[in-house]
Every structure is written in C-alpha cells, then in structure tokens.
Amino acid sequence: MGIYLVPIAFFGFLAFGMPVGFAIGVAGMIGIIDMGPRFMTMAPDRMFAGLDLFPFLAMPFFILAGEIMNRSGITQGLVKLADTLVGWLRGGMAHSNMVASVMFAGITGSATADAAAFGNTLVPAMQKAGYSRSYACAVTAAGSIIGPTIPPSTLAIIYGSIMGVSIAGLFAAGILPGLLICGICMLVIALNAKRKNLPAGGPRPTLCAVWAAFREGFLAALLPVFILGSILGGFATPTEAASIAVAYALFVGGVIYRKLTWQDLYEVCVRTTRITGVIFLIIASATILGWWMTFNQVPQAIARAMLSISQEPAIIVGLILMLLLLIGLVMDINATLIILAPVLAPLTVQIGMDPVHAGIMIILALNISLMTPPVGACLFVLASVTGEKVEGITRELWPFILAEVAILLVIAYWSDLTLFIPRLLGL
C-alpha cells in the first residue's frame, strides 16, 4: 500500500503548494509509518545522520562568500570587465552577460544568486540599450546555470558528500562543461543577432581600457582562482577553502572597498541562513524518503526496469538523462539530486561509467531544469525581480535550452572531455 501512497502523497502535497522540503518529509514519514511503528523512533537519528557530513559545512560558507561579494558591490567590476572583453560584438551586452556569468559562477556557485544579481543590474541595462525585457531575462536565465556547474558548485558538494565521490574531482570536471555552456550560448546569441536585430556593440576596446577594467575587477576575479587553486592543488579541502573565501570577501569588501556596513553583514547572514536552512531541510527530509525507498528496494526496481529495456550503456545513459530532465520539470533540483543520486549512481557504475563523469552528467542535467517551466527556479527569480512574465521568458529561452541539452549529450557520451582536467590534475 505504501509503495503507492508515498508518491501520491508527495506529488499531491506539491500540487497543493506545500514547500518541497515539507512535502518530502511528510511523504517520507508516511512511508516510515507503513514500514512499522518501530522505525518511527529511528527517524530523527536518520535525519541527523543525513546532515552529519563534514563536506556539507562548505555550502553555507560558499553561499555567505557570494552574498558578501554581491552586497559589497565587488561583482560590478566583473561585469565591467566582461563588457570590455566582448561588449563590442553585435548583441554585445548579451555576450557580456554570459561571460560575467562564468566569472560570477566562480564566486557563488549558485544559479539563483546569478539570476537575482543580474536581474537587478544587467536586465535593466540591456533594456535601456534596446533589448526586449523578455530576451534579456532569457539570456540571464541561460547563463545562470553556469553557476552550479563551474566550481564551487553546491550540487557538486551535495553529490560528492552523499555518494562518496571526490568533490575536488567534481569541481575540476565541471570547468569544461561550464565553459562549453557559455560558448554555445554565445553562439546562439551570435546566430540570432541579425534576425532579432540585437543592438550593435561599441568600438573595440583599447589595451588601456582592457587593463583598466582588469584592474577594477582583479580582486573579485582572484577569488575563484584562489578557491580552485587551493582545492585542486591539494592545499585545502572544499570546506577549508570555503571558509577562507568568506575571510577574503570580508577583507576585500570591508577593508579595501569599504562598502560593507554592520547592517549589510546582518542581512547577508540572515539570507545565508535562510538559503542554507532550506537546502538542509530538503536534505534531512530526503534522507527519510531515501530510507523508505531503500527499504522497499525502489532503486533496484528502477535499475531492473531500465536494464530490462536495454543492456546497452548508451541507451541506459539516454534513459537516465530523460528521467532527470522530466523530473526536473516538476521538482526542486536539490531534492531530485538527493533522492535520485543513490538510485542512479549505482546504475552508472554497473554500465561502466566513471563516478566523477556520472556525477557531472547528473548535475548538468538537473541544472538545465533550473530554467525549464513549470518550476524552474531561475525563471521565477527573474520574473519576481524584473516583473516579466514567466511565459515571455520561456518563449525566448527555447534556443538556449536546446543548445544546452546538446552540450549535455556531448558531456554524457564523451567521457574523455569531462575527465580531461581531473586526469590532468591527478584527481
């Protein structure tokens, strides 16, 4: 009975608007009750155990570092640097948006932070330059998923922690996919520039202008290099690097730029606590649901179902991608990752995939769902920040979505590309 009641309850709660963390938790408790009363006393211990992982400490620190950089205005230097480098192209501000997303990704690792920051700054600027608001929002949404792909990525920390995969390896493997997403989105912008009559860029920058922009954005651009260098070089764990990133952001924002007030610090701490609390609630609740799934051998059933369709690794990978993209349409990506990773990761091992390669494939597939309706988080962030309707953003997004799905397929089926940097670094 519970095998049917739990999914019905979960999707029913979501349909009635219950927050996803509570929906997962209540559905999981229904499953635990069905397992037997004696399991109820074990539920709190299971929830705590799901959070009692040292690498999870990195998440709030990376989120806090990004919030400090945002609040202190340091990231504006990154936007200016990106605009200097590519703003002279036709559709230059759209190209700048993408390049700035790559730079911003190395600071926050968050798609929604990218969408909120650029929705407040770049979207109005693009409107003034002659872009439609819906197109400006679409470009911002498409670039925002670079955030949780390029390290430091919150999803990589979650996946590596719960699956026992090297977080440093996942960080290294996310660099090329993130750059490829940026490149193909810039190609989409360039191909549509004339058809959409995008504004022409300004004159090519001089070396002096590039140097001036680089000096202004240097301190912000140095942070992701510092984070990655310390982790990939083996000098610090992701958690240690995250805490160092907070100290660096506080020093640059408060001492060098002098743009942080005590009120700012209070607000960034509150916002970090809220974001972290939501993620940790989902993780704890998903631990209960995952326990119920394991008890009822749901992962094994899904694996058998997929293997019954075909034994070919290429087809299995296609089925996994289809499942992730479809579920991502209707479910929060953190919850999807925590619930499905223990189900799908053993299946990828069974067909011979490298754990780091499989992890990046799963993470990228879920990142794409951040900009697909009806529950794409970046769409709703941009809609609330800019006032543009979700339907309008979605209409302009489809070329970018298709392009990024193409990159997903390349990443999924070309393991050497994904693992090139990890192998180069010996991870």
Side-chain angles (χ1 to χ4, degrees), residues 327-361:
I327 292 182
L329 292 174
V330 296
M331 193 168 163
D332 175 84
I333 65 167
N334 292 300
T336 304
L337 179 66
I338 296 160
I339 293 171
L340 288 186
V343 176
L344 299 178
L347 182 58
T348 61
V349 172
Q350 194 170 342
I351 61 175
M353 289 186 75
D354 182 273
V356 170
H357 178 212
I360 287 299
M361 177 189 76

Side-chain angles (χ1 to χ4, degrees), residues 214-354:
F214 178 75
R215 281 191 306 172
E216 186 174 339
F218 174 74
L219 288 175
L222 190 62
L223 179 58
V225 175
F226 188 66
I227 293 171
L228 288 181
S230 62
I231 295 173
L232 302 181
F235 302 109
T237 66
T239 303
E240 293 165 345
S243 59
I244 294 170
V246 172
Y248 180 88
L250 284 171
F251 178 76
V252 173
V255 178
I256 296 181
Y257 286 95
R258 297 182 181 277
K259 292 184 178 180
L260 279 178
T261 65
W262 289 109
Q263 180 64 27
D264 290 331
L265 289 176
Y266 170 75
E267 291 177 2
V268 298
C269 286
V270 169
R271 180 169 168 77
T272 299
T273 302
R274 287 175 177 169
I275 295 171
T276 305
V278 169
I279 295 174
F280 279 10
L281 174 63
I282 291 172
I283 293 172
S285 300
T287 301
I288 295 295
L289 188 57
W291 185 26
W292 171 82
M293 292 172 67
T294 302
F295 182 84
N296 287 280
Q297 297 189 328
V298 174
Q300 293 89 333
I302 293 176
R304 284 196 300 270
M306 287 191 174
L307 291 172
S308 68
I309 296 173
S310 174
Q311 298 287 329
E312 285 294 322
I315 295 177
I316 297 298
V317 168
L319 291 172
I320 291 173
L321 294 179
M322 189 182 303
L323 176 65
L324 290 169
L325 292 173
L326 288 175
I327 292 182
L329 292 174
V330 296
M331 193 168 163
D332 175 84
I333 65 167
N334 292 300
T336 304
L337 179 66
I338 296 160
I339 293 171
L340 288 186
V343 176
L344 299 178
L347 182 58
T348 61
V349 172
Q350 194 170 342
I351 61 175
M353 289 186 75
D354 182 273

Side-chain angles (χ1 to χ4, degrees), residues 59 62-63 65-67 101-114 144-157 171 224 227 279 333-334 363 367 370:
M59 278 192 290
F62 278 130
I63 294 168
E67 291 293 328
S101 291
V102 172
M103 298 177 179
F104 199 71
I107 295 174
T108 66
S110 168
T112 52
D114 185 311
S144 67
I145 75 159
I146 297 173
T149 304
I150 284 182
S153 165
T154 300
L155 286 182
I157 294 171
F171 277 7
I227 293 171
I279 295 174
I333 65 167
N334 292 300
I363 289 168
N367 285 343
L370 283 168

Side-chain angles (χ1 to χ4, degrees), residues 72-227:
S72 61
I74 299 172
T75 50
Q76 293 174 4
L78 293 179
V79 175
K80 185 174 180 180
L81 176 59
D83 190 53
T84 304
L85 293 175
V86 297
W88 54 272
L89 299 168
R90 187 176 185 86
M93 290 195 74
H95 290 295
S96 300
N97 195 321
M98 286 296 165
V99 174
S101 291
V102 172
M103 298 177 179
F104 199 71
I107 295 174
T108 66
S110 168
T112 52
D114 185 311
F118 290 170
N120 276 318
T121 55
L122 282 181
V123 170
M126 290 176 72
Q127 279 186 265
K128 288 181 182 179
Y131 295 82
S132 69
R133 186 169 63 180
S134 59
Y135 186 76
C137 288
V139 171
T140 302
S144 67
I145 75 159
I146 297 173
T149 304
I150 284 182
S153 165
T154 300
L155 286 182
I157 294 171
I158 295 174
Y159 185 90
S161 299
I162 63 178
M163 298 310 305
V165 178
S166 166
I167 295 176
L170 290 170
F171 277 7
I175 296 173
L176 277 180
L179 295 177
L180 285 173
I181 290 172
C182 176
I184 200 164
C185 286
M186 291 179 71
L187 179 61
V188 170
I189 293 168
L191 293 175
N192 287 307
K194 287 188 177 181
R195 184 177 67 83
K196 287 187 170 293
N197 195 28
L198 298 182
R204 285 175 180 261
T206 63
L207 287 177
C208 289
V210 173
W211 174 245
F214 178 75
R215 281 191 306 172
E216 186 174 339
F218 174 74
L219 288 175
L222 190 62
L223 179 58
V225 175
F226 188 66
I227 293 171

